[in-house]
Amino acid sequence: MSKRRPASNPPKAPVFKPLRRSLAVPVWADVALRLGGAFFLIFVVIMVHWSDRAGLHDVHDGQVSFLDVVYFTMISITTTGFGDIAPVSDRARLIEAVLVTPIRLAVITIFVGTAYNFIIKRSWETWRMKRIQERLEDHIVVLGFGVSGSEAVKELVERGTEPACIVVVDPVQARLAQAERMGCNVLQGDATRDEIQNAVRVTTARTVLVSAGRDDTSVLIVLTARHLAPKVPITVVIRADDNELLARQAGANNVINPVRFTGLLLAGSADGQHVADYFSDLASVAGRVQLVEPVEPSEVGRSLDQLATGGKGLRIYRGNRTIGFWEDEAQSLQPGDIVVEITPTKSSDDEPST
């Protein structure tokens, strides 16, 4: 569910590190593998030249030592070519043409590719991510990408939210890799810290979803987010009943207790087999019907059963009051009302389901 908020001029976020992309292997390991491969190929060329040193000629003293072979190999690999040592036999020239030249190209490719990947490409990616980060606004910040957080992101994407508008923060790299494959922006770090939440521009976010896996951590994250962004809606997952009040006191607008909700579904299912199925249908955009919170200026003055969308109005939130569809106040909507309604989900042929 979403709620419209009046536009505001968000405060400028402090200087922060740009978002980072997940890597298959650490940077140092990638560099070591590349350089190791290059030096192995150079070693192979040195051994080839040493085994065929009789086909080389040194213009200085006519003798080719092992140091001369190393020197000639490095000069040959780098295509410098001073000419003081040269292949003179047909076999040596054939080796240079058939074996050494392909290795030379491979070594050059490795060094050029390494330079591109770690200097040009990474510098460009860092600059690009920093530009994206500086312009983050009206985005969804997901703090914690465990079971609940990942399911929330999947549902958001199915509801039509662009993955590029979602920023995921989690300390576990494997979880971030999953979020990145979904197209989300990711940042590895501790979401309880101010600098991490500033890095994802929580002050300009549309909403903040917190699911850290532990109630104490989740409450601390909510405290940090509310301190930095006093007006941004915050929803948090809390598993212990005793901690729900703490989460609300910390500044959470919505507190979701999956254990309690599961208990409600179980209790409802005791009297009928379709209750749990219908609740799941309402909660998911893939169901036949869904709950929404529309705010339509054209509906002001109408009753709750005369919504512009044609949906079934259930409840009105008017300030701190909750008004049911059976109450007299539901006969006239007022400016600023938040209406919860059930609307049919469009089917694949874009026709309402029944």
Side-chain angles (χ1 to χ4, degrees), residues 34 215 278 344:
R34 291 169 181 264
D215 286 358
Y278 189 69

Side-chain angles (χ1 to χ4, degrees), residues 92-225:
R93 292 178 178 179
L94 181 63
I95 290 175
E96 289 294 321
V98 176
L99 180 62
V100 177
T101 297
I103 293 179
R104 178 187 300 121
L105 295 176
V107 171
I108 293 175
T109 300
I110 290 175
F111 279 112
V112 172
T114 302
Y116 167 75
N117 192 60
F118 291 97
I119 299 177
I120 301 176
K121 183 179 178 180
R122 293 189 185 278
S123 298
W124 165 257
E125 181 69 7
T126 300
W127 178 86
R128 187 179 72 88
M129 291 304 299
K130 186 174 181 180
R131 292 289 295 171
I132 292 174
Q133 194 168 4
E134 289 174 348
R135 298 177 181 180
L136 279 176
E137 191 173 63
D138 198 38
H139 56 295
I140 298 175
V141 177
V142 180
L143 304 177
F145 200 71
V147 175
S148 299
S150 60
E151 288 297 323
V153 171
K154 291 178 183 177
E155 182 67 21
L156 285 169
V157 173
E158 289 184 5
R159 289 172 181 260
T161 302
E162 289 293 333
C165 295
I166 301 174
V167 180
V168 175
V169 178
D170 198 279
V172 181
Q173 185 62 41
R175 296 175 180 174
L176 295 181
Q178 178 185 354
E180 191 176 8
R181 287 192 295 269
M182 298 171 64
C184 302
N185 302 297
V186 300
L187 179 67
Q188 185 175 12
D190 182 0
T192 64
R193 303 185 62 180
D194 287 13
E195 62 180 15
I196 295 297
Q197 294 202 23
N198 279 327
V200 297
R201 293 179 65 87
V202 70
T203 55
T204 62
R206 182 195 316 171
T207 188
V208 176
L209 308 180
V210 181
S211 179
R214 290 173 52 99
D215 286 358
D216 52 353
T217 304
S218 295
V219 171
L220 184 55
I221 292 174
V222 171
L223 278 170
T224 304

Side-chain angles (χ1 to χ4, degrees), residues 31-46:
V31 173
L33 289 173
R34 291 169 181 264
L35 294 182
F39 286 123
F40 173 76
L41 292 177
I42 293 174
F43 174 76
V44 170
V45 176
I46 290 175

